[in-house]
């Protein structure tokens, strides 16, 4: 459990990079909206799990604020943008 949040944060960060690279290379395509939405979800996951790791390790407010902001942005993305 000690490194569980850190490993998930790293995996979500790698997934974000894997989803963003094709979008950066290709020209704008309206059909790429689903990839943009999934990349936002993975970015939120990275923020949430990295923040949770730092909160568990240091017990400071920055990690807790990071988790709260990540959850709020995740809710906005899931409710506003289509998959």
């Amino acid at each position: 459990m000690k490194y569980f949040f850190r490993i998930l944060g790293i995996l979500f960060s790698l997934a974000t990079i894997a989803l963003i690279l094709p979008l950066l290379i290709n020209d704008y395509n309206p059909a790429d909206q689903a990839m943009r939405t999934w990349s936002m979800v993975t970015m939120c996951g990275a923020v949430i799990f990295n923040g949770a790791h730092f909160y568990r390790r240091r017990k400071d407010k920055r990690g807790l604020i990071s988790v709260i902001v990540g959850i709020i942005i995740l809710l906005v993305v899931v409710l506003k943008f289509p998959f």
Side-chain angles (χ1 to χ4, degrees), residues 19-40:
L19 285 171
I20 290 293
L21 282 177
L23 291 174
L24 292 175
I25 294 171
N26 295 335
D27 291 332
Y28 176 75
N29 188 0
D32 292 337
Q33 181 63 33
M35 278 185 80
R36 280 190 217 99
T37 304
W38 279 111
S39 65
M40 288 290 292

Side-chain angles (χ1 to χ4, degrees), residues 51 54-55 58-68:
F54 286 118
Y55 179 71
R58 296 183 188 159
K59 301 290 187 206
D60 64 346
K61 291 183 182 179
R62 288 182 292 182
L64 187 60
I65 291 171
S66 176
V67 171
I68 293 170

